[in-house]
Amino acid sequence: MSEGMISNLTNPNVIVTFLVAVAVLATFYSLAVPFLERGNLGKRMKSVATERDVIRARERVRLNAEISGGKAASLRSQNNTSVRQLVERLNLRKALVDDNTVNRLKSAGYRSQNALNMFLVARFCLPFLFLAVGAFYIFFLGYLAEKPFMMRVLAVIASAYVGFYAPNIFISNAVSKRQQSIRRAWPNALDLLLICVESGVSMELAMRRVADEIAEQSAPLAEELVLTTAELSFLPDRRIALENLGIRTGLDDVKSVVQALIQADRYGTPIAQALRVLAQESRDQRMNEAEKKAAALPPKLTVPMILFFLPVLIAVILGPAGIQVSDKF
């Protein structure tokens, strides 16, 4: 029975059939998801509200600790206890975590301590999992059997290497998607913020209003603005709250606006003109990126046109002539 299973797994026809079935299901899923999925804006705003409560509780604990001289307790020590214990026993934070790792997780939208623990466990476990899968396919099922032994060992090690960096690749993709969404909606958010500031609304209320209005266009930007509003309300230093916005997004446009807001808060300078100029610069930069992509489109279409369009065009043009010649001869 095991030999029959192995022969089925190694049969090229079975593998091709499986891949075709997966491709068909993926195509149907891609076409059906836009019609079936529901907006998760309410769920995301609810998670941000929970984060705001956490910030409030953390600042209360810090103030109580400063008053009493005691040591503040961790607020998220109960999240996924088994994962947290594994991280503490193996001391994964000291081995795999630095400031850049935490900032990238925040930029990807994973701000909780439990998300950091899951990321560390994934980086620790996936190399062994990929190593086992690679060894199974290469040594047990006989893939790359014609290659030398050292080449197969290097292939197994390479699979473990891919498993080690797979969580980083996932986080990088999440960060790029989130930054793209924020970059597209940022000029409009600055215009709304400018309108609110010129009308005499305070910075906290202006950000909250902009978050409500921009949520339909970019939910990640709305989340960041709501968190910044919460930090402006509870953190002792407003500069820290504004700098956290730039760190979480990781965008130069946002950091420049943050610096302008910090300078305006420190020196009392008017912020309306600076916001207007920064909004125009962000919009011009977005237009330049669109023009750059449009200019790079013709070279990218050259190979698909040669491979797919020209053969069909030649068949349509020369097909009738070829049929007539074959009929005569």
Side-chain angles (χ1 to χ4, degrees):
M1 181 177 179
S2 60
E3 294 179 355
M5 184 180 298
I6 294 173
S7 62
N8 290 329
L9 291 176
T10 56
N11 189 358
N13 295 328
V14 175
I15 296 175
V16 171
T17 304
F18 176 75
L19 294 178
V20 170
V22 171
V24 172
L25 291 177
T27 303
F28 279 108
Y29 178 77
S30 301
L31 295 176
V33 162
F35 300 98
L36 298 178
E37 68 178 0
R38 299 179 179 177
N40 59 350
L41 180 61
K43 183 178 179 180
R44 300 181 73 166
M45 290 297 103
K46 184 177 179 181
S47 65
V48 173
T50 305
E51 188 73 18
R52 180 173 181 172
D53 295 336
V54 170
I55 295 173
R56 183 189 295 115
R58 183 173 66 241
E59 291 303 314
R60 287 179 178 176
V61 170
R62 185 184 62 80
L63 292 176
N64 293 332
E66 291 178 356
I67 294 174
S68 61
K71 184 178 180 181
S74 176
L75 293 174
R76 295 202 174 191
S77 59
Q78 301 301 324
N79 285 344
N80 207 333
T81 307
S82 59
V83 175
R84 178 176 57 85
Q85 290 178 353
L86 179 61
V87 171
E88 291 177 354
R89 289 180 180 178
L90 299 177
N91 200 11
L92 296 179
R93 294 183 185 177
K94 184 177 180 180
L96 300 176
V97 175
D98 54 3
D99 294 336
N100 189 25
T101 301
V102 177
N103 292 334
R104 287 187 65 79
L105 286 175
K106 291 180 180 180
S107 298
Y110 301 104
R111 293 175 287 268
S112 65
Q113 189 64 38
N114 185 48
L116 177 60
N117 293 334
M118 294 295 294
F119 175 76
L120 295 177
V121 170
R123 289 201 68 183
F124 177 76
C125 295
L126 285 182
F128 297 102
L129 179 61
F130 277 59
L131 180 67
V133 173
F136 175 77
Y137 270 92
I138 292 176
F139 292 105
F140 187 73
L141 295 182
Y143 282 94
L144 301 179
E146 68 281 0
K147 301 295 181 180
F149 177 77
M150 290 304 299
M151 186 67 69
R152 289 183 288 171
V153 171
L154 289 177
V156 174
I157 296 175
S159 64
Y161 186 81
V162 171
F164 182 75
Y165 282 98
N168 286 336
I169 297 173
F170 174 79
I171 294 298
S172 298
N173 292 333
V175 170
S176 62
K177 292 179 181 179
R178 191 177 179 86
Q179 288 181 347
Q180 184 179 5
S181 176
I182 294 175
R183 188 182 294 110
R184 288 179 177 176
W186 184 244
N188 298 332
L190 287 182
D191 290 336
L192 294 174
L193 187 62
L194 175 61
I195 294 172
C196 294
V197 170
E198 287 183 341
S199 63
V201 181
S202 64
M203 185 58 63
E204 291 84 352
L205 295 178
M207 285 190 175
R208 181 65 186 181
R209 180 65 177 174
V210 172
D212 295 336
E213 295 294 334
I214 209 68
E216 293 294 335
Q217 183 178 358
S218 176
L221 180 57
E223 291 179 3
E224 299 300 336
L225 292 177
V226 171
L227 286 178
T228 304
T229 304
E231 290 183 346
L232 287 172
S233 302
F234 299 112
L235 292 182
D237 192 356
R238 295 168 60 87
R239 181 181 60 83
I240 298 176
L242 294 174
E243 288 179 350
N244 288 338
L245 175 61
I247 293 173
R248 288 196 303 267
T249 56
L251 295 175
D252 294 334
D253 297 339
V254 180
K255 291 180 180 179
S256 61
V257 174
V258 164
Q259 292 299 323
L261 294 177
I262 292 175
Q263 292 178 2
D265 184 68
R266 179 180 298 176
Y267 301 109
T269 57
I271 193 63
Q273 185 63 30
L275 288 178
R276 185 177 291 107
V277 173
L278 292 172
Q280 186 62 36
E281 289 181 355
S282 299
R283 189 171 287 105
D284 293 340
Q285 184 178 359
R286 185 176 62 180
M287 183 61 66
N288 292 333
E289 292 180 356
E291 292 176 353
K292 187 185 297 184
K293 290 182 179 180
L297 188 60
K300 293 180 180 179
L301 288 177
T302 302
V303 176
M305 288 183 64
I306 293 174
L307 293 178
F308 301 105
F309 289 96
L310 288 181
V312 176
L313 186 61
I314 292 173
V316 171
I317 295 174
L318 300 181
I323 294 173
Q324 291 179 1
V325 171
S326 63
D327 292 339
K328 290 183 179 180
F329 291 98

Short mmCIF file of all heavy atoms in Angstrom, two decimals, residues 26-51:
data_model
loop_
_atom_site.label_atom_id
_atom_site.label_comp_id
_atom_site.label_asym_id
_atom_site.label_seq_id
_atom_site.Cartn_x
_atom_site.Cartn_y
_atom_site.Cartn_z
N ALA A 26 -8.13 28.10 -7.71
CA ALA A 26 -7.64 29.44 -7.42
C ALA A 26 -8.28 30.48 -8.33
O ALA A 26 -8.59 31.60 -7.89
CB ALA A 26 -6.11 29.48 -7.56
N THR A 27 -8.51 30.12 -9.59
CA THR A 27 -9.16 31.05 -10.51
C THR A 27 -10.60 31.33 -10.09
O THR A 27 -11.04 32.49 -10.05
CB THR A 27 -9.14 30.46 -11.93
OG1 THR A 27 -7.78 30.20 -12.31
CG2 THR A 27 -9.76 31.43 -12.91
N PHE A 28 -11.34 30.27 -9.76
CA PHE A 28 -12.72 30.47 -9.30
C PHE A 28 -12.74 31.26 -8.00
O PHE A 28 -13.62 32.12 -7.80
CB PHE A 28 -13.42 29.12 -9.12
CG PHE A 28 -13.93 28.53 -10.40
CD1 PHE A 28 -13.32 27.45 -10.97
CD2 PHE A 28 -15.02 29.08 -11.04
CE1 PHE A 28 -13.78 26.90 -12.15
CE2 PHE A 28 -15.50 28.56 -12.23
CZ PHE A 28 -14.88 27.46 -12.79
N TYR A 29 -11.79 30.99 -7.12
CA TYR A 29 -11.75 31.73 -5.85
C TYR A 29 -11.46 33.21 -6.08
O TYR A 29 -12.07 34.08 -5.46
CB TYR A 29 -10.68 31.11 -4.95
CG TYR A 29 -10.51 31.81 -3.62
CD1 TYR A 29 -11.42 31.62 -2.59
CD2 TYR A 29 -9.44 32.67 -3.41
CE1 TYR A 29 -11.26 32.27 -1.38
CE2 TYR A 29 -9.27 33.31 -2.21
CZ TYR A 29 -10.18 33.11 -1.19
OH TYR A 29 -10.02 33.77 0.00
N SER A 30 -10.53 33.50 -6.99
CA SER A 30 -10.19 34.90 -7.28
C SER A 30 -11.38 35.64 -7.88
O SER A 30 -11.58 36.83 -7.62
CB SER A 30 -8.99 34.97 -8.23
OG SER A 30 -7.87 34.33 -7.66
N LEU A 31 -12.18 34.94 -8.71
CA LEU A 31 -13.34 35.59 -9.31
C LEU A 31 -14.49 35.74 -8.33
O LEU A 31 -15.28 36.69 -8.44
CB LEU A 31 -13.80 34.78 -10.53
CG LEU A 31 -12.82 34.71 -11.71
CD1 LEU A 31 -13.38 33.80 -12.79
CD2 LEU A 31 -12.56 36.10 -12.27
N ALA A 32 -14.60 34.82 -7.37
CA ALA A 32 -15.76 34.84 -6.47
C ALA A 32 -15.54 35.69 -5.23
O ALA A 32 -16.50 36.18 -4.63
CB ALA A 32 -16.12 33.41 -6.06
N VAL A 33 -14.28 35.87 -4.82
CA VAL A 33 -14.01 36.60 -3.58
C VAL A 33 -14.55 38.02 -3.60
O VAL A 33 -15.16 38.47 -2.63
CB VAL A 33 -12.49 36.58 -3.27
CG1 VAL A 33 -12.11 37.66 -2.28
CG2 VAL A 33 -12.12 35.23 -2.69
N PRO A 34 -14.36 38.82 -4.68
CA PRO A 34 -14.90 40.19 -4.65
C PRO A 34 -16.40 40.26 -4.46
O PRO A 34 -16.92 41.26 -3.97
CB PRO A 34 -14.49 40.75 -6.02
CG PRO A 34 -13.30 39.95 -6.41
CD PRO A 34 -13.56 38.57 -5.88
N PHE A 35 -17.13 39.20 -4.84
CA PHE A 35 -18.58 39.21 -4.69
C PHE A 35 -19.04 38.64 -3.35
O PHE A 35 -20.16 38.92 -2.92
CB PHE A 35 -19.23 38.40 -5.82
CG PHE A 35 -18.93 38.92 -7.18
CD1 PHE A 35 -17.92 38.36 -7.95
CD2 PHE A 35 -19.65 39.99 -7.70
CE1 PHE A 35 -17.64 38.84 -9.21
CE2 PHE A 35 -19.37 40.48 -8.97
CZ PHE A 35 -18.36 39.91 -9.73
N LEU A 36 -18.21 37.85 -2.71
CA LEU A 36 -18.62 37.17 -1.48
C LEU A 36 -18.07 37.80 -0.22
O LEU A 36 -18.68 37.68 0.84
CB LEU A 36 -18.19 35.69 -1.52
CG LEU A 36 -18.79 34.84 -2.65
CD1 LEU A 36 -18.24 33.43 -2.58
CD2 LEU A 36 -20.31 34.84 -2.56
N GLU A 37 -16.91 38.47 -0.32
CA GLU A 37 -16.30 38.97 0.90
C GLU A 37 -17.07 40.19 1.42
O GLU A 37 -17.64 40.96 0.66
CB GLU A 37 -14.84 39.34 0.66
CG GLU A 37 -14.64 40.53 -0.24
CD GLU A 37 -13.17 40.87 -0.40
OE1 GLU A 37 -12.33 40.17 0.20
OE2 GLU A 37 -12.87 41.82 -1.14
N ARG A 38 -17.05 40.32 2.71
CA ARG A 38 -17.68 41.45 3.38
C ARG A 38 -16.60 42.40 3.88
O ARG A 38 -15.49 42.00 4.18
CB ARG A 38 -18.54 40.97 4.56
CG ARG A 38 -19.69 40.05 4.16
CD ARG A 38 -20.47 39.60 5.37
NE ARG A 38 -21.58 38.72 5.00
CZ ARG A 38 -22.39 38.15 5.88
NH1 ARG A 38 -22.23 38.36 7.18
NH2 ARG A 38 -23.38 37.39 5.45
N GLY A 39 -16.97 43.65 3.97
CA GLY A 39 -16.00 44.63 4.46
C GLY A 39 -15.62 44.36 5.90
O GLY A 39 -16.49 44.15 6.75
N ASN A 40 -14.34 44.36 6.18
CA ASN A 40 -13.85 44.12 7.53
C ASN A 40 -13.47 45.41 8.23
O ASN A 40 -12.67 45.39 9.16
CB ASN A 40 -12.65 43.17 7.51
CG ASN A 40 -11.51 43.72 6.67
OD1 ASN A 40 -11.66 44.71 5.96
ND2 ASN A 40 -10.36 43.07 6.76
N LEU A 41 -14.03 46.53 7.77
CA LEU A 41 -13.66 47.82 8.36
C LEU A 41 -14.12 47.89 9.80
O LEU A 41 -13.38 48.37 10.67
CB LEU A 41 -14.28 48.95 7.53
CG LEU A 41 -13.97 50.36 8.03
CD1 LEU A 41 -12.47 50.62 8.01
CD2 LEU A 41 -14.69 51.39 7.17
N GLY A 42 -15.34 47.41 10.09
CA GLY A 42 -15.82 47.45 11.46
C GLY A 42 -14.97 46.61 12.40
O GLY A 42 -14.68 47.02 13.53
N LYS A 43 -14.56 45.45 11.93
CA LYS A 43 -13.70 44.58 12.75
C LYS A 43 -12.35 45.22 13.01
O LYS A 43 -11.83 45.17 14.14
CB LYS A 43 -13.54 43.23 12.05
CG LYS A 43 -12.73 42.21 12.84
CD LYS A 43 -12.65 40.90 12.09
CE LYS A 43 -11.83 39.88 12.86
NZ LYS A 43 -11.75 38.59 12.12
N ARG A 44 -11.78 45.87 12.00
CA ARG A 44 -10.47 46.49 12.17
C ARG A 44 -10.56 47.69 13.10
O ARG A 44 -9.69 47.92 13.93
CB ARG A 44 -9.92 46.90 10.81
CG ARG A 44 -9.74 45.73 9.87
CD ARG A 44 -9.18 46.14 8.53
NE ARG A 44 -7.76 46.49 8.64
CZ ARG A 44 -6.97 46.62 7.59
NH1 ARG A 44 -7.45 46.42 6.39
NH2 ARG A 44 -5.71 46.93 7.75
N MET A 45 -11.64 48.47 12.98
CA MET A 45 -11.81 49.61 13.88
C MET A 45 -12.05 49.14 15.32
O MET A 45 -11.63 49.80 16.28
CB MET A 45 -12.98 50.46 13.41
CG MET A 45 -12.71 51.22 12.11
SD MET A 45 -11.38 52.43 12.23
CE MET A 45 -10.04 51.56 11.40
N LYS A 46 -12.70 48.00 15.46
CA LYS A 46 -12.90 47.45 16.81
C LYS A 46 -11.58 47.02 17.42
O LYS A 46 -11.33 47.23 18.61
CB LYS A 46 -13.87 46.27 16.74
CG LYS A 46 -14.23 45.70 18.10
CD LYS A 46 -15.24 44.57 17.97
CE LYS A 46 -15.58 43.99 19.34
NZ LYS A 46 -16.55 42.88 19.22
N SER A 47 -10.70 46.42 16.60
CA SER A 47 -9.38 46.04 17.12
C SER A 47 -8.56 47.26 17.51
O SER A 47 -7.82 47.24 18.49
CB SER A 47 -8.64 45.22 16.07
OG SER A 47 -8.36 46.00 14.92
N VAL A 48 -8.70 48.34 16.73
CA VAL A 48 -7.99 49.58 17.09
C VAL A 48 -8.54 50.15 18.37
O VAL A 48 -7.80 50.68 19.21
CB VAL A 48 -8.09 50.58 15.92
CG1 VAL A 48 -7.51 51.93 16.32
CG2 VAL A 48 -7.36 50.05 14.71
N ALA A 49 -9.86 50.08 18.57
CA ALA A 49 -10.44 50.55 19.83
C ALA A 49 -9.91 49.73 21.01
O ALA A 49 -9.64 50.27 22.09
CB ALA A 49 -11.96 50.46 19.77
N THR A 50 -9.73 48.43 20.80
CA THR A 50 -9.12 47.61 21.84
C THR A 50 -7.69 48.04 22.13
O THR A 50 -7.26 48.10 23.28
CB THR A 50 -9.15 46.13 21.42
OG1 THR A 50 -10.50 45.75 21.11
CG2 THR A 50 -8.61 45.24 22.52
N GLU A 51 -6.96 48.37 21.07
CA GLU A 51 -5.59 48.86 21.25
C GLU A 51 -5.59 50.18 22.03
O GLU A 51 -4.70 50.43 22.85
CB GLU A 51 -4.94 49.05 19.89
CG GLU A 51 -3.46 49.37 19.94
CD GLU A 51 -2.63 48.18 20.32
OE1 GLU A 51 -3.13 47.04 20.22
OE2 GLU A 51 -1.47 48.37 20.72
#
